[in-house]
């Protein structure tokens, strides 16, 4: 079964999720510097969620590029991932309005955690569909970064009830883990040839 | 006439429908466990409708993959299907707010019923366009599941005026009918070769 | 220059326009048959606009299928068409709420008229880019239906100030002109071979 | 790495951004000519932003068409561009409501400026990925127009605190710079053969 529509559909859903978050950035009433202040937490939450959805799109792109074919289970595992990603705008708006409250901060992490697990399941199904010696399996590797992210999310959820600042900092840390080495590895790969596919690093 | 844009357009519409339903998941005011309670029915209605739209996307994907070409009537039959699917977010929000009221529960079923009929029409037009001996026709088969779903929807609409719980349970039953055997058949198919295309089972 | 992205982008915009109109179908407060009554004009306006956008998507699909290549002017002519189509949800909601008032009924026609003219310009640019003897030019023909539609829109705009019912009836007439013969010609074409491309009839 | 999904994803995001701006065009209460007056600034802001997003889509289309391949850094540079473009609907609505206030007018320019810089970074990364002698590099040239636009945006931001009318006029000037010569160069190119790719002029 061809992977084209799976890619197109996922692209569509993620593109829409990224842009409907903007609808929650309420235009300030008034036209003064001070009116921007209450929008700031919403804006920062938007930036963070934009980066997370960008990371998912990027990783999804790389993983599917290495995949040759899909099956019905993989289609559903992909829909499962999209389901949790679809809740990102909801929790983004909630955390933006209540960034000092444990429950919204914890729930933001719960959605990221479940999206992370859904991505993990999707990756495993793709690997088992392509076999352990496929390019896809080698490229994905043990997915250390995915496991670490899930552990950090779990910690952030629990710590939200102690300090919401620590939780928020942990979410930023996960984003940086994926964002920064991505660029570094890319640079390393382009400097020495041939570029072995390395999906984990992206 | 090529089917590429039909697929792309349908993907776009279904992707948007799935994601705009999220806009109705109103962010709770407050940051307490109790504020989540009123959102729960909306959330469950969202999950159910997400699964239904996912099933339609999945089935559409499989059916069009087996199709070789389309014509103007098929384009309109597809738009007809998308029309009824486009009403899913509206009835989802209404049922979420009024899940104990007969009318919203029945109307949810009416939209699903009409979408089911529209899918049936689309499938028949595709079969008649490709001929009774085409891969598409063999793969679609008598479409027992589609007929059963339509019967259950009709029952659920009538029963909504007796008990909304029974109706809601019937909607969940239809979702399970499509979701569970899908995975089972997939597994069965992959275990013995060659995998004969079986669209009904997905 | 390849036409792939032009098609994909137009598909995306039209898919979104069709679905965001649903956001304006406000879920009725209450759960009684009577609460559905005030939603009815909005619903009928939605159906009409869905059909118009469906016709545009269908015609666009057919025309671009016959096109081999595009240029920068055609990209802008296409964006110009999408601009007027993007106003359809706005006037749909307005006419739904004020279907007995001349101004909203006339403005609905103005948007359709300008979209019709924009489509006409796009078609002419495509023809002049492909040459008078191209398949595209032959397939488009003199575009009698497009000219008649524009004339009916103009009449409907003026007549809105006499009777909004006549205007609304004229909008329905245009939709039928495009919808019904489309299916008839399709049937005629498939019965006798070879099927000469006839874009005007769709 | 293939550029297909980068194009598809960007198309999706820009298509959605263009259409969700329409959601902010609030349907006037009432049905009188006078009710349209307060919508006028919002409408003009919509037209301007539609043109800007159209220019970006157009330029992006041309640039990626000349590109052969992408890498992870380019994916992120593209997401960076989409981030700033995603703020266009927010500032469009704000400027529409407060077109005489310095802050909203200046912020509109800030978003355009940062989107311009993001586009510049994306173009440089694409050039360095393809090498200085690639078709892409030759086609992009020194990108005089991009540099001039960025300078005008910077001027408009500062001048907003002196006169919002001058700033708004400067935004319109940038739109005209991109829009008008585009069509002229296109015409020039088609009249003499062979058509050397000229991305700057579009």
């Amino acid at each position: 079964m061809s992977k084209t529509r799976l890619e197109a559909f996922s692209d569509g859903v993620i593109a829409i999720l990224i842009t409907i978050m903007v609808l929650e950035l309420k235009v300030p009433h008034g036209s003064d510097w001070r009116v921007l202040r209450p929008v700031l937490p919403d804006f920062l939450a938007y930036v963070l969620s934009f980066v997370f959805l960008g990371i998912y799109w990027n990783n999804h792109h790389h993983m599917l590029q290495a995949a040759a074919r899909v099956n019905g289970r993989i289609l559903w595992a992909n829909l499962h991932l999209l389901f949790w990603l679809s809740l990102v705008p909801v929790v983004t708006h909630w955390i933006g309005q209540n960034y000092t409250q444990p429950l919204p901060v914890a729930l933001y992490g719960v959605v990221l955690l479940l999206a992370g697990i859904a991505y993990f399941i999707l990756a495993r199904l793709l690997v088992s569909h392509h076999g352990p010696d496929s390019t896809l399996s080698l490229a994905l590797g043990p997915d250390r970064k995915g496991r670490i992210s899930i552990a950090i999310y779990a910690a952030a959820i629990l710590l939200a009830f102690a300090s919401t600042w620590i939780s928020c900092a942990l979410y930023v840390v996960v984003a940086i883990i994926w964002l920064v080495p991505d660029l570094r590895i890319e640079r390393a790969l382009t400097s020495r040839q041939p570029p072995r596919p390395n999906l984990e690093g992206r």
Side-chain angles (χ1 to χ4, degrees), chain A:
Chain A
M1 197 190 305
S2 136
K3 65 179 182 173
T4 319
R5 273 187 82 179
L6 178 78
E7 291 184 324
F9 186 71
S10 307
D11 280 357
V13 170
I14 298 175
I16 299 157
L17 289 174
I18 269 185
T19 38
I20 63 172
M21 282 196 293
V22 164
L23 291 176
E24 302 291 1
L25 282 183
K26 291 280 170 264
V27 171
H29 297 283
S31 51
D32 198 319
W33 285 103
R34 276 164 302 173
V35 302
L36 289 176
R37 232 212 135 284
V39 189
L40 192 67
D42 270 319
F43 180 73
L44 293 177
Y46 172 60
V47 174
L48 188 62
S49 294
F50 187 99
V51 170
F52 274 119
L53 288 173
I55 290 167
Y56 270 105
W57 178 73
N58 234 332
N59 288 347
H60 194 271
H61 184 155
H62 281 84
M63 185 162 67
L64 265 294
Q65 190 137 21
R69 55 189 187 280
V70 297
N71 62 16
R73 292 175 77 80
I74 289 167
L75 292 190
W76 277 108
N78 192 58
L79 277 168
H80 178 229
L81 169 63
L82 294 178
F83 176 76
W84 293 114
L85 293 182
S86 80
L87 295 179
V88 167
V90 182
V91 290
T92 299
H93 189 45
W94 206 27
I95 204 178
Q97 301 276 301
N98 302 280
Y99 56 97
T100 58
Q101 301 294 325
L103 189 61
V105 173
L107 269 188
Y108 188 82
V110 167
V111 167
L112 290 179
L113 176 69
L114 292 168
I117 293 172
Y119 189 82
F120 193 80
I121 295 171
L122 175 62
R124 287 311 112 188
L125 285 174
L126 278 165
V127 164
S128 81
H129 191 51
H130 287 78
D133 302 324
S134 61
T135 321
L136 182 81
S137 306
L138 297 173
L140 277 172
D143 194 14
R144 239 165 293 140
K145 248 166 146 185
R147 289 168 202 262
I148 292 170
S149 303
I150 286 172
I152 298 179
Y153 291 143
I157 293 164
L158 295 175
L159 287 167
F161 298 93
S163 159
T164 58
W165 294 104
I166 295 176
S167 296
C168 292
L170 287 174
Y171 299 145
V172 173
V173 164
V174 175
I176 292 170
I177 286 177
W178 286 96
L179 206 55
V180 176
D182 185 3
L183 303 180
R184 263 188 222 152
I185 285 170
E186 189 78 40
R187 227 173 301 154
L189 280 173
T190 50
S191 62
R192 57 173 165 85
Q193 293 294 336
R196 165 177 95 71
N198 184 316
L199 295 184
E200 195 192 343
R202 276 158 191 161

